[in-house]
Amino acid sequence: MNSGVIAAYILKEFKELLRSRMIAIVYILPTMIIILFGYGIRMEVTHARTLIIDNDRSKISQDLTVRFQNSKYFDTKVVTGITLKEALESIKRAKTDILIIIPDRFEKELLKREKPEIAVFVDGAFPVRASTMENYVKGVIFDAASTILKEKPKNLVTINNRNLFNQPMRDEDAIVPGLIGLILLVAPAILSALLIVKEKEEGTIFNFYSSAVSRGEFILAKIVPVFILHSINIFILFLWATWLFEVPFRGSFTLYWLSSELYILTSIGIGLLVSVITRSQIVAIVLTIIITIIPGFLYSGMLMPISSMSGESKIEAHIYPVMYYNHIIYDTFLIGQGLDSPKNRLYLVILLFYALFMLLLGSRLVKKETG
Amino acid sequence: MKIFLALITKELIGFFRSWGLVAVVLYSFTLDIYIAGAGIEMQAKNISVGYVDETGGGMSQKILSRLHMPEFQKPVMFNSREALSRSIYNRETMVGIIFESDFEKNLQKYKRAEINLLLDSISATQSFQALQYLQNILLEYADLKYPVKLKIHKLFNPNATTSQFMAMAEMLSVITLLGVILTAAVFVREKENGTWEIMLLTPVNPKLIILAKSFSQVIIVMAGVVMATGIVLFGAFDVPINGSLFAFFLLSFFYAFTSAGIGLFVAAVSKSMLQVAQLSILIMMPLIFLSGAWTPIHAMHPLLQDLSLISPLRYYIEGSESIFFRGTSFVDLWSYFAGVILLGSVLYFYGFRKIGRLF
């Protein structure tokens, strides 16, 4: 290897990247994703638009509706004298989330212990929201019902729960660290995916074929600028997470930084591999987007904890690098065991080998006549 | 018209000649949607449970036997609290239950007892749901005789399967992605190769070339939509169709034009495919996330709610959801059609002008 040649080649690649005006996008894209997703994804349900048709208008039914009105989970409107059809139409038009119908003679039947029936309709278009809303409604109604319960319950078991790691159950804490794992997988991969296939499509790759530059030097020159540019994002994203989204950081920053650098290398390796096996830029772009975004979500543990997976998805999760990185990231942000935990040490080593393997595989596949 | 058709045929032949591209497009419209639908699960399911039982068994085991699939995995026994807590810290167990030694005694003597729960609440929603499941199980166990009955109906998606919804949302994202990138690529590739000039030397109106080129990509996308709807949505996920299928295809057609319009704009401002890639993602990400596919619009930050009004994907997704799940009638869909067509024609016209000005 000739260090002078490498330096010159790296400089050339750097200049080309800067000239393509894409430097701004290298920094805009990650920031935009973290802000959009961080503010945009809301899993917890508050202010569900609730319509209560109170056909009874008795003291007990009003007690019940007041409980809904006083809860931050519901924006309640109590109406009388609209038909079921009109009310259902309002759900159909996505104007109402929950419809609760209290029957007439509700109080009378209740006092006579005839078990009156309350009908509840929930908009099921968003399944997670639907079951959360269902549970809220159950909670309010059963809670109200238990206050007028006559007999003492037997076998009542209550839960004394301690929420670990994300005590207030904030959505931001749950999502933002996972987003870093998604961004650092997608963004460097896309940038590096085009590097070689671009030269193939334009024919400039023959400059490399016919020059004395070796395969290793070529790859090094290609990845160093991307690596340096995206390394800065590790710090930018950290700032957004802790300062803008106020996610606590309980672990070691060194571990965060080190594992992120390895992860960026892995991502560049994926892009490199795509770049080597494809023949046109458009295919390389679409392929990279497809193989990074969906797995980046699926196996991040952001939506579903890895421990809840089974069968194929568990195996697939272990094949992609996201899982290993995200385990460490969530640890550094929320848990804080750091390198004391053998699992974190193991995953860090796996990341290292993953990065080396991807880069090696990519560079092995670059064709170059050696003479 | 004849020239128009010839131009479209040329583009389609060009598309099929690049087998890599054909393969990627096929993959996106089938397997990619399938994987997203089958894999993304936001409901808490198959939750891992560990427990430490300091009583002699009995009541505690009866309660544990009520935790079963699909909500919970089989509870795993740990010998000490330390072991349980270590497993939770390593994120191998999500819910840890501790039965203290006086649990059974309390239950028999006072008819009430308490269990200690350690909950990994990193995935906030899932943890919250796990807690709700547990509470319901314990309430059932207590066998309270409530004086009311509750009948809950879930409308439109009674089994509340995330997979149907996710598959649909992913299909709409794929349409956006390919609509934008394919269209932009068709133009930028000619720019990069310098074949644009040759096209312009032919005695064909440049406007017709732009129209035909973008239309050919709309055809490819629409073919993908028909395929994905038939094979993946209906075939693999049994998505219900409560409204008119024709209305959905019509809406998709208008939407495909909208995304082609964005593609034209991207093509006009980029010089290379690298720029196309990054710009498309930069434009598409907000589009997809402001569309309400992940979070209902009315639950978003107020500023984002306002911004979402200018996302054509929002109208498309709400419209498609209404057609598939809610079964809204054709007439009531007018607002979604109006939204897509209005934003679409503005975007398409703007893109058309912008790229037309280059020549």
Side-chain angles (χ1 to χ4, degrees):
Chain A
M1 285 220 184
N2 184 333
S3 59
V5 172
I6 299 177
Y9 216 123
I10 291 177
L11 198 66
K12 163 196 167 271
E13 291 291 331
F14 239 126
K15 276 187 180 159
E16 279 183 3
L17 270 179
L18 291 180
R19 210 174 287 154
S20 68
R21 285 186 299 167
M22 284 302 103
I23 193 84
I25 284 183
V26 169
Y27 296 114
I28 293 174
L29 189 67
T31 294
M32 191 189 73
I33 296 179
I34 203 169
I35 289 177
L36 268 178
F37 285 50
Y39 280 121
I41 298 185
R42 273 288 162 276
M43 311 277 238
E44 74 171 345
V45 184
T46 51
H47 303 291
R49 296 161 304 173
T50 311
L51 200 62
I52 302 182
I53 304 183
D54 183 359
N55 289 325
D56 193 36
R57 271 166 291 167
S58 59
K59 190 178 165 302
I60 293 184
S61 78
Q62 268 159 12
D63 273 354
L64 186 61
T65 52
V66 166
R67 276 169 184 266
F68 277 97
Q69 279 163 334
N70 288 342
S71 159
K72 71 163 180 171
Y73 297 115
F74 305 97
D75 278 351
T76 315
K77 226 163 56 187
V78 183
V79 289
T80 44
I82 85 169
T83 63
L84 180 61
K85 196 160 171 279
E86 284 168 326
L88 287 179
E89 194 62 29
S90 151
I91 299 188
K92 224 172 204 183
R93 293 230 175 86
K95 298 266 182 275
T96 301
D97 300 313
I98 306 172
L99 170 66
I100 299 172
I101 301 173
I102 303 175
D104 54 353
R105 296 175 43 81
F106 176 71
E107 193 180 51
K108 282 201 191 103
E109 286 181 18
L110 198 68
L111 295 176
K112 277 200 227 151
R113 301 173 143 230
E114 282 172 357
K115 280 203 152 195
E117 183 177 284
I118 298 176
V120 179
F121 296 84
V122 180
D123 182 349
F126 280 88
V128 186
R129 287 174 60 85
S131 45
T132 308
M133 290 190 288
E134 182 189 338
N135 280 319
Y136 285 165
V137 173
K138 267 192 199 161
V140 172
I141 293 182
F142 284 147
D143 194 39
S146 63
T147 57
I148 50 170
L149 214 54
K150 292 276 166 13
E151 47 204 297
K152 276 228 160 164
K154 51 176 193 202
N155 296 340
L156 187 65
V157 180
T158 49
I159 298 177
N160 169 28
N161 76 311
R162 238 183 89 203
N163 296 341
L164 298 168
F165 318 134
N166 182 5
Q167 198 256 332
M169 290 199 177
R170 285 175 78 219
D171 269 345
E172 288 91 337
D173 294 7
I175 289 168
V176 171
L179 282 178
I180 298 181
L182 179 72
I183 294 165
L184 293 184
L185 180 71
V186 177
I190 288 177
L191 196 58
S192 62
L194 291 175
L195 292 178
I196 295 173
V197 70
K198 177 169 173 256
E199 301 222 15
K200 279 200 263 183
E201 210 172 74
E202 289 172 358
T204 47
I205 191 123
F206 287 97
N207 293 344
F208 156 63
Y209 287 160
S210 54
S211 72
V213 177
S214 79
R215 208 156 45 177
E217 289 167 340
F218 176 68
I219 296 287
L220 202 63
K222 285 281 176 196
I223 65 174
V224 165
V226 181
F227 179 71
I228 292 176
L229 289 178
H230 270 291
S231 292
I232 299 172
N233 270 324
I234 298 175
F235 300 97
I236 297 179
L237 292 175
F238 177 80
L239 278 184
W240 289 134
T242 50
W243 174 70
L244 188 64
F245 291 106
E246 295 174 347
V247 180
F249 191 83
R250 305 193 173 110
S252 113
F253 187 79
T254 324
L255 178 63
Y256 165 76
W257 174 71
L258 194 69
S259 53
S260 302
E261 295 284 19
L262 287 177
Y263 189 59
I264 288 181
L265 277 181
T266 314
S267 164
I268 291 176
I270 294 173
L272 197 67
L273 203 60
V274 168
S275 203
V276 171
I277 59 171
T278 51
R279 280 190 309 188
S280 65
Q281 296 184 63
I282 171 83
V283 178
I285 295 170
V286 180
L287 193 63
T288 315
I289 293 178
I290 288 172
I291 63 171
T292 51
I293 291 190
I294 289 290
F297 256 111
L298 275 184
Y299 309 125
S300 61
M302 200 178 354
L303 302 172
M304 180 197 234
I306 305 289
S307 65
S308 298
M309 292 183 178
S310 61
E312 300 157 44
S313 55
K314 192 153 200 165
I315 298 170
E316 280 156 30
H318 282 78
I319 295 174
Y320 279 93
V322 196
M323 186 192 90
Y324 304 104
Y325 177 66
N326 271 27
H327 183 86
I328 298 177
I329 284 302
Y330 275 109
D331 186 89
T332 55
F333 273 97
L334 299 173
I335 304 177
Q337 292 191 100
L339 286 176
D340 292 341
S341 147
K343 198 168 176 184
N344 283 343
R345 289 199 295 262
L346 174 69
Y347 278 10
L348 195 65
V349 173
I350 292 178
L351 269 184
L352 175 69
F353 278 104
Y354 210 114
L356 288 178
F357 176 73
M358 291 310 285
L359 290 174
L360 223 66
L361 188 66
S363 53
R364 280 288 112 189
L365 290 174
V366 174
K367 288 195 193 82
K368 160 110 183 172
E369 306 295 326
T370 43
Chain B
M1 195 63 202
K2 213 175 144 197
I3 301 169
F4 186 66
L5 287 178
L7 282 169
I8 288 180
T9 319
K10 165 193 171 271
E11 288 303 328
L12 289 181
I13 291 175
F15 170 73
F16 282 109
R17 202 173 281 159
S18 153
W19 58 266
L21 192 55
V22 176
V24 166
V25 169
L26 274 179
Y27 176 87
S28 333
F29 272 112
T30 51
L31 262 179
D32 181 63
I33 298 175
Y34 178 78
I35 292 175
I40 298 184
E41 176 61 77
M42 292 195 262
Q43 297 271 44
K45 262 187 194 161
N46 203 27
I47 301 161
S48 49
V49 188
Y51 70 95
V52 177
D53 193 352
E54 293 167 356
T55 71
M59 291 292 204
S60 53
Q61 292 299 325
K62 263 189 201 153
I63 293 178
L64 286 172
S65 70
R66 287 177 179 242
L67 308 183
H68 48 69
M69 295 296 281
E71 287 88 4
F72 294 98
Q73 294 171 17
K74 198 175 176 327
V76 179
M77 196 179 88
F78 287 88
N79 288 326
S80 66
R81 294 186 187 200
E82 288 72 42
L84 177 65
S85 131
R86 203 178 313 125
S87 172
I88 294 176
Y89 271 77
N90 279 332
R91 307 206 66 202
E92 280 145 13
T93 304
M94 188 160 133
V95 178
I97 303 175
I98 299 167
F99 295 97
E100 280 172 5
S101 49
D102 57 354
F103 173 77
E104 184 136 2
K105 204 174 68 199
N106 285 344
L107 205 53
Q108 274 164 0
K109 212 164 165 188
Y110 310 109
K111 297 283 171 212
R112 59 189 309 151
E114 198 175 60
I115 55 172
N116 288 310
L117 195 73
L118 295 174
L119 186 64
D120 166 6
S121 53
I122 287 185
S123 325
T125 320
Q126 298 236 339
S127 315
F128 187 64
Q129 279 191 327
L131 194 60
Q132 285 179 326
Y133 290 155
L134 269 178
Q135 248 147 8
N136 286 344
I137 288 172
L138 292 176
L139 278 179
E140 248 172 64
Y141 183 72
D143 196 21
L144 294 181
K145 299 226 166 17
Y146 286 116
V148 285
K149 261 190 293 190
L150 204 54
K151 194 159 187 193
I152 298 185
H153 313 261
K154 277 192 202 143
L155 299 173
F156 320 125
N157 195 352
N159 302 323
T161 52
T162 317
S163 60
Q164 294 179 343
F165 182 76
M166 283 322 301
M168 196 191 79
E170 177 63 15
M171 182 175 87
L172 306 191
S173 306
V174 167
I175 297 171
T176 316
L177 171 81
L178 291 180
V180 172
I181 289 200
L182 286 181
T183 313
V186 166
F187 289 95
V188 172
R189 210 161 2 161
E190 299 230 17
K191 260 199 217 173
E192 271 188 334
N193 295 345
T195 46
W196 232 154
E197 281 72 17
I198 301 172
M199 284 294 267
L200 292 177
L201 283 176
T202 57
V204 180
N205 186 349
K207 285 203 176 103
L208 199 62
I209 300 180
I210 301 173
L211 206 61
K213 269 181 175 293
S214 50
F215 193 70
S216 65
Q217 305 308 308
V218 171
I219 292 178
I220 294 171
V221 170
M222 280 311 292
V225 173
V226 173
M227 196 169 63
T229 314
I231 299 177
V232 186
L233 293 196
F234 293 155
F237 292 115
D238 285 322
V239 175
I241 172 91
N242 297 323
S244 137
L245 192 59
F246 172 73
F248 171 69
F249 284 135
L250 196 65
L251 193 62
S252 304
F253 181 72
F254 287 126
Y255 183 72
F257 253 105
T258 310
S259 44
I262 303 174
L264 286 180
F265 167 77
V266 171
V269 295
S270 359
K271 286 202 191 86
S272 66
M273 285 301 287
L274 184 64
Q275 291 183 341
V276 169
Q278 309 243 5
L279 257 181
S280 318
I281 296 175
L282 203 60
I283 294 177
M284 254 160 9
M285 282 290 184
L287 219 55
I288 291 175
F289 283 89
L290 290 176
S291 65
W294 294 85
T295 303
I297 312 268
H298 61 79
M300 284 181 189
H301 193 272
L303 185 70
L304 293 184
Q305 280 188 35
D306 294 340
L307 275 174
S308 78
L309 286 174
I310 55 167
S311 162
L313 190 56
R314 170 185 174 169
Y315 301 98
Y316 184 39
I317 284 199
E318 284 182 1
S320 310
E321 230 187 288
S322 299
I323 293 171
F324 281 111
F325 298 120
R326 299 203 178 95
T328 316
S329 64
F330 212 150
V331 189
D332 286 331
L333 290 170
W334 69 269
S335 57
Y336 307 123
F337 272 95
V340 170
I341 293 175
L342 198 72
L343 287 167
S345 31
V346 170
L347 283 170
Y348 191 82
F349 185 70
Y350 182 68
F352 194 87
R353 280 280 302 277
K354 188 114 183 150
I355 198 150
R357 213 175 293 149
L358 294 178
F359 311 105

